[in-house]
C-alpha cells in the first residue's frame, strides 16, 4: 500500500494561536498542514491570505497544502509561491483558464492541484488531470469546517483514482471535508492518498495527540483490498 498522508486543516484551530497549532500537529506526527484560504466571494467565509501562509512557513517544517477557495486564483500565484506554499490547489470553477493557472503554478515552484465542488461533475476536471500532481475531492461544500461528510464521496474518490490509473498518471488523491477516523478505511480503499481532517483533529476533546493517534490507528488497520 502506498504511504497515506494525514493533513490536519488549520481552519479548525484557534486563529489566535495558529503557530502553536501547527507545531502541535507536527509534533503529533502530521504529514502535511492543510491551509484553507477563503475570500468571502468564491465561498461565503473569509479566512486569511499570503501573509498567514508565510508566517506558518516559519512556524512549521510541514509541507503546506494550500487550498485556494478564491476567485481569480491566477492573480495570486506569485504571492502564495513566495509565501512558501508547497502545494497550490485551485478550484476548476474559480478560474477561466485552469490549464494556464496550473502551468503557472508549476512554473513558480509549488506543485499544482485541482479540486471541484461536490456538485460539479468529475468530467469538469478531466482535461486538466495530466497537469496536476494532486486531485482534491471535496466531500463537503467548501466554506466551513465541521460539516458532515457527503455520502457517496467515496465513489468520487474511486472514480478519480480510476481515471488517473487509466491515464497512467500518478497524482495524489486527497479528500477534504468531514473525514473522521472511521471513514479512513473506505477512503483509502477507494484510492485516497491524502486525508484532510479539521474538526476531527483540532476539536477532539482528547487533544490533538490523541486525535492524530485515532487517525493513525484507523489508517494502520486498513488491509489491502
Ligand atoms: C472546507 C475546508 C476543509 C475543512 C475541513 O471548506 O476545505 O479543509 O477545514 O474541516 P472538517 O474536517 O472539519 O470537515
Ligand atoms: Zn480544504
Amino acid at each position: 500500500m502506498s504511504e497515506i498522508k494525514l493533513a490536519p486543516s488549520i481552519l479548525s484551530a484557534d486563529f489566535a494561536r495558529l503557530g502553536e497549532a501547527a507545531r502541535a500537529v507536527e509534533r503529533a506526527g502530521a504529514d502535511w498542514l492543510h491551509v484553507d484560504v477563503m475570500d468571502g466571494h468564491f465561498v461565503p467565509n473569509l479566512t486569511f491570505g499570503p501573509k498567514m501562509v508565510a508566517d506558518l512557513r516559519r512556524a512549521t517544517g510541514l509541507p503546506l497544502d494550500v487550498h485556494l477557495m478564491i476567485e481569480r486564483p491566477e492573480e495570486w500565484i506569485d504571492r502564495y509561491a513566495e509565501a512558501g506554499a508547497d502545494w497550490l490547489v485551485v478550484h476548476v470553477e474559480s478560474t477561466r483558464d485552469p490549464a494556464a493557472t496550473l502551468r503557472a503554478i508549476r512554473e513558480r515552484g509549488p506543485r499544482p492541484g485541482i479540486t471541484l465542488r461536490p456538485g460539479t461533475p468529475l468530467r469538469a476536471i478531466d482535461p486538466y488531470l495530466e497537469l496536476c500532481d494532486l486531485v482534491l475531492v471535496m466531500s463537503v461544500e467548501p466554506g466551513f469546517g465541521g460539516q458532515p461528510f457527503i455520502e457517496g464521496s467515496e465513489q468520487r474518490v474511486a472514480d478519480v483514482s480510476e481515471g488517473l490509473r487509466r491515464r497512467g498518471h500518478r497524482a495524489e488523491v486527497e479528500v477534504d471535508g468531514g473525514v473522521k477516523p472511521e471513514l479512513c478505511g473506505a477512503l483509502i480503499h477507494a484510492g485516497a492518498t491524502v486525508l484532510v481532517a479539521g474538526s476531527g483533529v483540532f476539536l477532539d476533546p482528547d487533544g490533538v495527540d490523541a486525535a492524530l493517534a485515532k487517525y493513525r490507528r484507523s489508517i494502520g488497520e486498513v488491509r489491502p483490498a
Side-chain angles (χ1 to χ4, degrees):
M1 200 192 336
S2 67
E3 188 206 343
I4 306 298
K5 270 85 60 188
L6 201 48
S9 164
I10 201 86
L11 182 66
S12 290
D14 180 347
F15 275 21
R17 295 161 178 251
L18 285 182
E20 277 169 51
R23 283 187 292 267
V25 291
E26 183 170 14
R27 274 196 309 271
D31 299 291
W32 294 2
L33 190 68
H34 187 82
V35 182
D36 287 306
V37 174
M38 306 186 188
D39 66 352
H41 292 278
F42 181 71
V43 288
N45 200 2
L46 183 65
T47 55
F48 36 67
K51 180 171 187 303
M52 188 63 83
V53 174
D55 292 349
L56 285 169
R57 176 70 297 153
R58 283 190 295 276
T60 174
L62 291 176
L64 298 180
D65 168 31
V66 179
H67 176 192
L68 293 177
M69 286 161 274
I70 64 176
E71 286 176 4
R72 296 185 299 283
E74 61 278 5
E75 294 176 10
W76 290 88
I77 295 167
D78 282 341
R79 270 170 280 201
Y80 284 102
E82 276 162 31
D86 295 277
W87 295 86
L88 268 185
V89 183
V90 295
H91 272 265
V92 69
E93 307 92 347
S94 69
T95 176
R96 233 176 263 157
D97 190 346
T101 302
L102 292 163
R103 287 196 186 97
I105 292 171
R106 198 183 290 286
E107 226 167 77
R108 304 301 198 287
R111 298 181 69 184
I114 197 149
T115 186
L116 70 178
R117 297 179 184 279
T120 301
L122 288 178
R123 63 175 180 280
I125 59 171
D126 274 354
Y128 313 114
L129 292 179
E130 265 105 343
L131 297 171
C132 296
D133 290 345
L134 177 151
V135 180
L136 167 58
V137 175
M138 288 304 299
S139 40
V140 297
E141 194 57 48
F144 297 92
Q147 305 179 73
F149 183 87
I150 297 173
E151 263 178 61
S153 302
E154 308 90 318
Q155 191 53 51
R156 278 167 70 89
V157 172
D159 292 347
V160 164
S161 53
E162 172 58 21
L164 290 167
R165 202 195 53 75
R166 253 197 335 263
R167 287 175 170 74
H169 183 59
R170 287 173 68 89
E172 303 285 354
V173 179
E174 183 174 38
V175 201
D176 181 11
V179 176
K180 297 294 182 310
E182 59 274 18
L183 288 167
C184 293
L187 292 170
I188 294 166
H189 276 305
T193 60
V194 187
L195 304 168
V196 176
S199 50
V201 169
F202 287 104
L203 302 183
D204 187 317
D206 299 330
V208 297
D209 286 292
L212 265 285
K214 290 174 199 172
Y215 281 93
R216 281 277 162 244
R217 208 172 309 129
S218 65
I219 291 169
E221 279 162 8
V222 176
R223 300 269 168 277

